[in-house]
Amino acid sequence: MGEIRGYCPLCISKCGSISTVEAGRLVRVRPDRDHPTGGSFCVKGRAAPELVHSDRRVLYPMMRTRPKGEADPGWRRVTWDEALRFAADRMRASADAHGARSVVFGVTTPSGTAVADAFGWIHRLAHAFGSPNVLFATENCNWHKDYASALTFGSGIGSPDFERTGCLLFWGFNPSTTWPAYARAAMEAKRRGARLIVVDPRQVGLASAADQWLPVRPGSDGVLALSIAGEMIQNGWFDKDFIARWSNGPLLVRVDNGRFMTVERATPAGMRRFPMVWDSERRRAVAYDPTCGEYLDEPPVSPALFGDLVLHDQGEPVPCRTAFQCFAERCARYPPERAAGRCGVPARQIRETARLLHESGPVSYFHWAGICQQADATQSGRAIGLLYALTGSLDAPGGNVRFATPHLNDIAGFDLLPPDRLAMTLGRTERPLGPPAKGWVTSRDFARAVLESEPYPVSGLMSFGANPLLTKPNTPTLVPALCALDVYIHADMFLNPTADYADLVLPVASPWERTGLAAGFQLGERGSDWLQLRQAVLSPLGESRSDTAIVFALAERLGLGEHFFDGNQRSGLREVIARTGVSLEDLERHPEGLSLGLQTPYRSYLKDGFQTPTCRVEIYSETLMDAGLSPLPDFESESLPSSDAFPLRLTTAKWPHYCHSQQHALPTLRGKLPEPLVELHPDTAKQQGIHEGDWISIHSAVGTMHARASMTTRIAADTVCAQYGWWESCSRLGLPAYDLDRFNYNRLIDDERFDPASGSNAMRGYPCSISRDVAV
Ligand SMILES: Nc1nc2c(c(=O)[nH]1)N[C@H]1C(S)=C(S)[C@@H](COP(=O)(O)OP(=O)(O)OC[C@H]3O[C@@H](n4cnc5c(=O)[nH]c(N)nc54)[C@H](O)[C@@H]3O)O[C@H]1N2
Ligand SMILES: Nc1nc2c(c(=O)[nH]1)N[C@H]1C(S)=C(S)[C@@H](COP(=O)(O)OP(=O)(O)OC[C@H]3O[C@@H](n4cnc5c(=O)[nH]c(N)nc54)[C@H](O)[C@@H]3O)O[C@H]1N2
Ligand code: SF4
Ligand SMILES: [Mo]
């Protein structure tokens, strides 16, 4: 028997774990209470032995023998040699016919799977191959918190300083289900006296313990954020020094064209134009140099935050107002009473929340899937970010901090791509500020390229996990696209409905049969500088191999071995950690992980400013304007108005038992949540003659889905929340498989309305109606 410390890699929480192995089998996984994650754990982690030893595991490479689209692909076991030769030949053939970019590399989510173990290497393979295109659901997942926020802050949103915060604001984020280590830290903060505000259409998880639970109507978060911000501005409840010194709020905006008012000045490099502020003490306009964040005038400059005025440009009068004034006016469009009508949150709560944010700082916040699955996700995220900026807590102790994390070398290999290739990423022309800027492709753009050769042909897919037929709304185009591919290779531990269209399936070792590296657990200083090498506790079952091993082997076959340490994975790992100051041997000696004792700088903007075009928090974004989008969050027209036919608001969420479309065949988990549920308020149910446990239909303008009614008063009467990811049977419990057309949440969502900046789908807040099923 062996007990091995590590962490559970099945989701973002990465809970410290102790695995017990007996007679070559994983028999138990339990929490490691000494780990920075503090003993958090969940049912999925405990069920890991069922996952590892599931009889559904794919244990050998398998080639299809029957045409795509037939119910049975006729899988035939092949050798690794045959499999790798086939994969390399077909990928090369696609590249020869249409260029390397015609092969797309797919990857499942590192937040809800263990693919984080190989995430960088998978990107490196794509880039070494010469393709910029990685199909990855980031636009509905982490994009908004990790990247879109750079439009406002120049960086991701960081993580809450749980130990010192005075007030936590969780917005469309339910860590009790999705990140238990965070939920635990939040409860500790609360016990210490911190206040808690939760914005969620459902009163779930920490919402029950919150000082304010704001039951927002799905999809109307932006309006709510602006309304709260408006209250704070109107009452002077914001950090004026921070906003004046560190936001671009004082910059003057021309009323005629919405651009920053600029003035020409001589510089050593020639004449240049600089934006301006109004110095309220000296009563004159002063130029501002965004390259260094300083004014071109003698200090002290006292920039006005509010004001309308007329300046002159080449003798012509130019009406201007400060960017902050523009923002304040935008917020003032949503006084609490008006906002309440749009977002369902009582005006009183909007006011109380504004006061709470002002009085109980430092404030830290987190938003996640509730926001990033909306048709205006980028602007909603920005509205919340700007509300947060008002608190002045950004990167301050007790606020949202960019904690120092172990410095890993980036092995994603963007440098291996030929020049200009990244600019060819599918979707880049339409959404230059979105995921395509990093090479990430939506399933919509992927399908379009395959079916219409727009903007160029795509004929190959090499995917590491993922199940977009269940997790994305474009099944109707994705199925023909998968059928039309010259080659589709899918590497996974299990088959899934998407993989059923593959030409070749490669068996992936489970996370307990391979190593993984975690650099930081996003839990305060100690939890963020933690470096841990998770060790394999079993040998790979059957002929399965880790994703990393598959990447390295495929690279060799493709003649790209020189970029992969000539096949030596250990050398690769050494390179990854080379700058941490810790050796591979050290990490192996400490399976429980090591604190690197790193110092977090806090308020690093004091030294470097913000990494934005104006060197400050961008209340007003010319970058968005240049991309044809609103420089300030704008919610005047509702992106998805409800109608008489579809009067309810549909939304979706995660449940503790499963990650997305996975794990439904594991008896322990399926026993706890055997059938797809839809939560609705008893009053709404009553109107339709629906009772607890009835099968009902949820209708939208594009589809219908069936689920069992689950009554709760902890949801607004006009909101219904349905589950997604149901397809798999559980033979041990005699529970059925589910049809992709009739039980698939994402068939209720259209693929035409999406966030223009990022491509996020409107999975939250979609207009719908419900009816009781007579028979399913
Ligand atoms: N158990 C489990 N854990 C997971 C995962 C999983 O699948 N299962 N997946 C992992 C991944 S990939 C991710 S991205 C994270 C996501 O983590 P979370 O963001 O916490 O995930 P969700 O439950 O999808 O959404 C959070 C909350 O948003 C609420 N919500 C729904 N519509 C709206 C809306 O319009 N506005 C607002 N404000 N809230 C809304 C839902 O009721 C839900 O409680 O979880 C990770 N952890
Ligand atoms: N309606 C609705 N749809 C959603 C969401 C929602 O909240 N509601 N959430 C969205 C979010 S946040 C996300 S991230 C996406 C997720 O979308 P997907 O990435 O498609 O996620 P899964 O359905 O979890 O599919 C994961 C597949 O990868 C396999 N896998 C797991 N671990 C590994 C590994 O280590 N290596 C390899 N090679 N394969 C592995 C699993 O066995 C499974 O087959 O779904 C999105 N779709
Ligand atoms: S929450 Fe559950 S699945 Fe996620 S890491 Fe922790 S134990 Fe694993
Ligand atoms: Mo996600």
Side-chain angles (χ1 to χ4, degrees), residues 574-650:
R574 279 189 209 285
E575 169 62 17
V576 172
I577 58 171
R579 280 204 273 172
T580 61
V582 177
S583 70
L584 189 49
E585 288 70 24
D586 286 340
L587 287 173
E588 284 170 340
R589 267 193 300 275
H590 291 281
E592 74 283 11
L594 291 165
S595 166
L596 301 195
L598 304 176
Q599 292 293 312
T600 289
Y602 296 98
R603 289 195 174 100
S604 51
Y605 59 83
L606 294 177
K607 198 161 121 270
D608 307 322
F610 290 89
Q611 312 305 304
T612 62
T614 55
C615 199
R616 294 182 170 196
V617 171
E618 299 236 317
I619 290 188
Y620 197 91
S621 171
E622 277 198 334
T623 309
L624 279 166
M625 220 178 162
D626 291 340
L629 303 165
S630 175
L632 286 170
D634 181 3
F635 307 105
E636 268 320 271
S637 59
E638 270 191 83
S639 41
L640 288 161
S642 47
S643 61
D644 290 345
F646 301 110
L648 302 173
R649 289 288 170 171
L650 177 65

Side-chain angles (χ1 to χ4, degrees), residues 675-676 678 693-699 704-709 736-744 771-776:
E675 292 174 319
V678 51
D694 283 350
W695 280 97
I696 70 164
S697 292
I698 309 162
H699 313 275
T704 297
M705 164 199 182
H706 305 275
R708 255 197 213 283
Y738 289 99
D739 182 273
L740 246 59
D741 289 326
R742 296 168 64 233
F743 297 88
N744 181 351
S771 62
R772 194 165 82 89
D773 287 345
V774 182
V776 181

Side-chain angles (χ1 to χ4, degrees), residues 11-12 42 44 109-113 140-142 171-175 177-179 199-202 204 216-221 367-374 651-660 721 724 764-765:
C11 85
I12 184 81
C42 88
K44 298 180 293 303
T109 169
S111 305
T113 75
N140 293 325
C141 182
N142 65 325
W171 203 306
F173 172 48
N174 175 20
T177 287
T178 58
W179 195 337
V199 187
D200 195 306
R202 305 181 304 140
V204 284
V216 66
R217 182 170 297 141
S220 64
D221 297 86
H367 62 71
W368 205 351
I371 301 307
C372 62
Q373 296 171 13
Q374 299 194 5
T651 197
T652 174
K654 278 119 184 114
W655 259 252
H657 317 79
Y658 308 118
C659 278
H660 313 292
C721 179
Y724 68 104
R764 316 236 168 171

Side-chain angles (χ1 to χ4, degrees), residues 373-416:
Q373 296 171 13
Q374 299 194 5
D376 53 15
T378 299
Q379 296 289 14
S380 300
R382 241 174 84 66
I384 299 166
L386 294 180
L387 163 64
Y388 182 66
L390 293 177
T391 67
S393 302
L394 194 61
D395 216 23
N400 269 51
V401 177
R402 275 180 288 151
F403 289 105
T405 53
H407 193 114
L408 300 186
N409 279 324
D410 181 7
I411 40 89
F414 282 94
D415 53 314
L416 300 174

